[in-house]
Amino acid sequence: MAWNLKEDLRDCLVAAAPYGGPIALLKNNFRKEKSLGSRPLLEIYSASGVPLASVLWKSGQVVQLGWTASEDLLCIQEDGTVLIYNLFCEFKRHFSMGNEVLQNHVREAKVFHTEYGTGVAILTGAHRFSLTTNIDDLKLRRMPEVPGLQKLPSCWAVLSQDRVTIILLAVGQDLYLLDNTSCSVVTPPGISAHAGAYVQMAVSFNYRYLALFTDTGSIWMGTSSLKEKLGEFSCDFRAPPRQMVWCTRPRSKQRAVVVAWDRRLLVAGNSKECIQFVLDEDSYLVPELDGVRIFSCTTHEFLHEIPEASEEIFKIASMAPGALLLEAQREYEKQSQKADEYLREIKDQNLLAEAVRQCIEAAGYEHEPETQKSLLRAASFGKCFLDKFPSESFVWTCRDLRVLNAIRDYQIGIPLTFAQYKQLTIEVLLDRLVLRRLYPLAIKICEYLRLSEFQGVSRILAHWACYKVQQKDKSDEEVAHAINQKLGDTPGISYSEIAARAYDCGRTELAIKLLEYEPRSGEQVPLLLKMKKSQLALNKAIESGDTDLVYTVVLHLKNELNRGTFFMTLQKQPVALSLYRQFCKHQELETLKDLYNQDDDHQELGNFHVHSSYSSEKRIEGRVGALQNAVDEYYKAKNEFAAKATEDQIKLLRMQRRLQDELDKPYVDYSLHDTVYSLILDGNHKRAEQLYRDFRIPDKRFWWLKISALAEREDWEEMEKFSKSKKSPIGYLPFVEICMKHHNRHEAKKYAARVTPEQRVKAHILVRELDQAADAAIEHKNENEMNLVLSKCTAATDSLVVEKINRAKAQTLKK
Amino acid sequence: MFTLKAGRLPPADVKNIIFLVRPRLELMDIIAENVLSEDRVRSPLRDFHILFVPRRSLLCEQRLKDQGVLGSFIHREQYSLDLIPFDGDLLSMESESAFKECYLENDQTSLYQAAKGLMTLQALYGTIPQIFGKGDCARHVANMMIRMKREFPGGQNSIFPIFDTLLLLDRNVDLLSPLATQLTYEGLIDEIYGIQNTYVKLPPEKFAPKKQGEGGKDLPTEPKKLQLNSAEELYAEIRDKNFNAVGSVLSKKAKIISAAFEERHHAKTVGEIKQFVSQLPHMQAARSSLANHTSIAELIKDITTSEDFFDNLTVEQEFMSGIDTDKVNNYTEDCIAQKHPLIKILRLVCLQSVCNSGLKQKVLDHYKREILQTYGYEHILTLNNLEKAGLLKLQTSSRNNYPTIRKTMRLWMDDVNEQNPNDISYVYSGYAPLSVRLAQLLARPGWRSIEEVLKMLPGPHFEERQQLPTGLQKKRQQGENRVTLVFFLGGVTYAEIAALRFLSQMEDGGTEYVIATTKLINGTNWIKSLMEKLEPPPF
């Protein structure tokens, strides 16, 4: 161990995280007198004893230390407060285990891990248990009371069965099971009546097995469901052990419990025999998935069941295929012919593949690179004599071992076994390296394992950058540059996250610099707003083209700035300005006017007033007023046409108002056309003429209008009068058409006679005088017209006409 | 599923209510009304959720907040449905107001959505290596696409690209095509009856079951609703034809089908009868499809043979071929005098303006005055909108560019063949849509040949390349077609689509086209979207 401990481990509060995790020591915790010089000291070491950080403990009395699954340190205090520190003794947050604890104090506590996350269970001075199964989603559960419990239980443990967390506790010779609602007495099956009082219990890593130690020295081993007994062992030591933990390997049939006293270690299992070790110093046991880590002031060891493959190979005088292959390879290196003999022996039994497999597997279990190498060499040697041995397992074992050897190095200090590594997964291992700020190693591993950039290198770089921005001794320029150089355009990097971290550290300038590298505007804008860089945010939002984002900023600016500045800002950003106009159109009409005013946009102001003359003004005078405003604005905009038109509109509106009063009919908001039409329809020809003159309606249109209205009125007399008033500017064909439309063929004929020669054929067709139409067409010698007439003929009635035309056509052809 | 209506929600025994809406403010008011009236009923408490299509909008949420109902929504999410497939080769965003927003209000929300839609398309069908574009909006969309590409984490898209080229076209590069009356079958259906989301509603009379003896009593009064897309074999064949070529196809089909039905008399053996029966469903479907389209064609023919349609078309074609575009047009004047529908007038006047690169002050003012006097002064704002959009304008320079453009790009073809077309001009019986000509010239011989004309059209033209990893670069085989996605920003007409489909089918064309747009339009609904609706106050 790299540490240089002066204290005995037993004087410290110790917590070591599983999976080769860090070790936390709280020194001087038990001293009662709290003089200044002897404040408790919290120290964190790597598993190899390399100090990571330390801090003088200034909070309350700590009852228990424990590590979460994500390697944060939990310090459970007497008052029920749980403080969370990271690996580097930096305070993260705290939470409380309930108010009730304030008086009763936490007497004992345990940290446990289930599929829900990391949990904490406490036992209070009132002999009540409380627990939470996930400290990240805190839900406190107060367990029911144990009837008749007057003193602290001699030992207890947290069990997790079928996703329910329960507590098993022992009081003297009685065992109680506490679940959410009830407390029941239980008896382990097959325990002898004279076993005595329980003094220690141990639950296996996977919660499947339970071991109980009684004051008669008897160890009961069984399943944690208390349904099955696995074995019993009686030892000579009656003193309560300091620690008792399970030491098993997943899927192994051997199950053993390691019991530790001050200077003695005992391994008990199914058999009558046990193994004993002498401990030279204070030691601490850390249960692991596949064994037990034992560390003391000077050493750190791993005790585990020898895996089958290793046993087969390294057993003395083993004739297992793996062992023979290893031997064969050694002889081969010595250039001895014995190699062939060994190899032949394996091959004869047809076990070469098995031998290679054994060697590969055993290599995985080895910690010593030399042994790993020789086993792998043997495997590779054996592979040469096999036709189709899939190479993946060999390649992957080599890769994994490389990674494992790298992290097992004492400077890194994560002594993972192969099984633990597989259980933990590479992703979690990378997270842990990142937590330890071992960025280069993490990146090397990603590159070596060829992980995709997205889940590998980028993630690590981002973490690195977040750490980098916290380095206060470097200038913003330097940091931003360093980060960009390393990160570049690596996909999956969120510069905005890094910038947010920088901003949290109070480095706004740096955050802005970093945001420049962020390609996603959606990410830039919220942070810029948070940092009160709204103008910049507006630029970014507009760049993105995302109008909703622009609105977000604009509305933010509207609240942040005074009106003048706000308008000035918009002025510089046409995109934002037009969007804000849309907003105003729907929400704040008056503001819209102000905006146009500021821009001197008289055309739009004119339109605005026209709009309001329809939408907001109800009385005629109000509407005229609004329109008058529009006229003024249109003049200012030099839009003479619009101004004149609007003046006309005012004139019309006034006139209509008068008509309405005089004639008691609605006229307002009729178009000029409709007004005149309606007047003619009512026979008010004078007034119609008046409007025609006042508004200088073009003759052509007026004639059309008048004859349509007259026809609708069926005032044929007036129409005839009108037709003779002067020469029609639209000719007389429209008269014919309109009469026919109102089914007055008689009148229509009158006008048909008056149309110009070119229109005559058409007119005659209209009034259904095909004979005359034919005559006209023949007279014109126009074949098209003749065909037109023909197309209107029906064989039954018009045979004469048809004949006539055909004759004429024939004649024209002759010529 | 209910359509959104003001007032109380229809009664239904449900716990959850989901509003699926476009992010438009007026819809928010309706939703607020729905939610508020709900609470008053004191029915079992329901959970409300709102899904914005295609994007959440801050303004809408603000509006809901102002109405005091924002908190009632448990989920407020978005359903990013940007491009909706309308047919095998046609995608539309169906954003009605896209053109108005872009060109009148300078609100580029729909362009952002277009860019998003294109990114989704690229995520599914591979990065499009070449982007061409013409117009300000096209430039903006291309910029956003390039930007969004940088924003996407995860690096390269490893899908083999389906599209070779993307062509972004602003609608205001070619304002002419939508104004002209479309003369393809589908185009005419849209012009006359309006196709909405591939459905058309037709007057029912022609579709009455032809059974004699029942008398004309129970003629259906509900409009006949038909779905129109290429899944219908006959429709796929005739939709893009000039209407004048549809009749012959229909009669040919009729003969084939009745011949097929006659077959049954020849079926002698059980096996033959079985074979005949197995074909029956398909034949019956074909027969009803034929009946439907014959009816539609008759309906359309009634209109296309009317004098007014003919006169209108004649004037349009005169304008497009450059005859008398600088004078007040008699026909237009007469139509105003007879108070024909305003939109028709606006289409004619705008068409004339576009074909003359703007109108002389006197002509323009005359038209405007005529329109205001006849249809009401409130339309002054509509006219203003049309001027802002460039549809109506004053001829500023003395030079009229349209003839040059028309000649260089061969927009007017005198010898058009409607039955067996050899050029895209058949879709307007003479006029070749400028937008499609641009696409055609881009494919061959390239835009370099028309640099001069491109400069006369509004907005920049540009080319962008998106790098592909070497593994994804296409190795073109002989005779393999290139695929071009043409995106019309601001809408596209059925006639233009027909023209592009015609180009796809040309044997020596070498390019297949897929079409995307913000909205399927025709001149009528397009002009309508630009009109300002001013309602006189109740007096």
Side-chain angles (χ1 to χ4, degrees), chain A residues 521 547-548 604 671 674 701, chain B residues 58 109 147 373-374 388:
Chain A
S521 321
T547 42
D548 213 45
E604 283 300 336
S671 72
D674 293 347
R701 189 148 56 79
Chain B
L58 184 81
T109 310
R147 194 184 162 80
Q373 288 196 346
T374 307
K388 263 201 250 175

Side-chain angles (χ1 to χ4, degrees), chain A residues 527-547:
Chain A
L527 188 61
L528 284 170
L529 284 181
K530 199 168 139 199
M531 299 193 298
K532 305 222 182 307
K533 300 285 168 195
S534 350
Q535 311 263 359
L536 200 55
L538 187 58
N539 288 341
K540 295 287 169 197
I542 291 170
E543 259 173 43
S544 78
D546 183 348
T547 42

Side-chain angles (χ1 to χ4, degrees), chain B residues 79-187:
Chain B
Y79 174 33
S80 308
L81 183 70
D82 292 307
L83 285 166
I84 308 160
F86 267 64
D87 222 314
D89 58 353
L90 178 60
L91 297 157
S92 172
M93 285 161 52
E94 283 308 284
S95 154
E96 285 91 353
S97 47
F99 184 83
K100 183 184 180 184
E101 284 170 8
C102 292
Y103 297 97
L104 285 188
E105 297 169 347
N106 195 19
D107 172 355
Q108 289 159 341
T109 310
S110 51
L111 298 183
Y112 179 71
Q113 278 158 15
K116 280 267 178 198
L118 281 166
M119 293 317 282
T120 313
L121 216 57
Q122 290 191 94
L124 293 170
Y125 299 109
T127 308
I128 306 175
Q130 271 186 314
I131 304 176
F132 290 92
K134 172 74 189 163
D136 290 317
C137 292
R139 179 72 262 183
H140 188 61
V141 170
N143 286 349
M144 278 191 285
M145 282 173 70
I146 293 162
R147 194 184 162 80
M148 283 173 186
K149 190 173 178 228
R150 259 197 302 143
E151 291 187 11
F152 263 108
Q156 279 294 339
N157 179 346
S158 56
I159 296 167
F160 195 82
I162 301 282
F163 300 110
D164 300 281
T165 310
L166 166 66
L167 172 59
L168 293 161
L169 283 178
D170 272 33
R171 185 71 270 175
N172 80 340
V173 170
D174 173 17
L175 293 169
L176 203 164
S177 303
L179 290 169
T181 304
Q182 312 172 58
L183 294 176
T184 59
Y185 181 53
E186 188 171 35

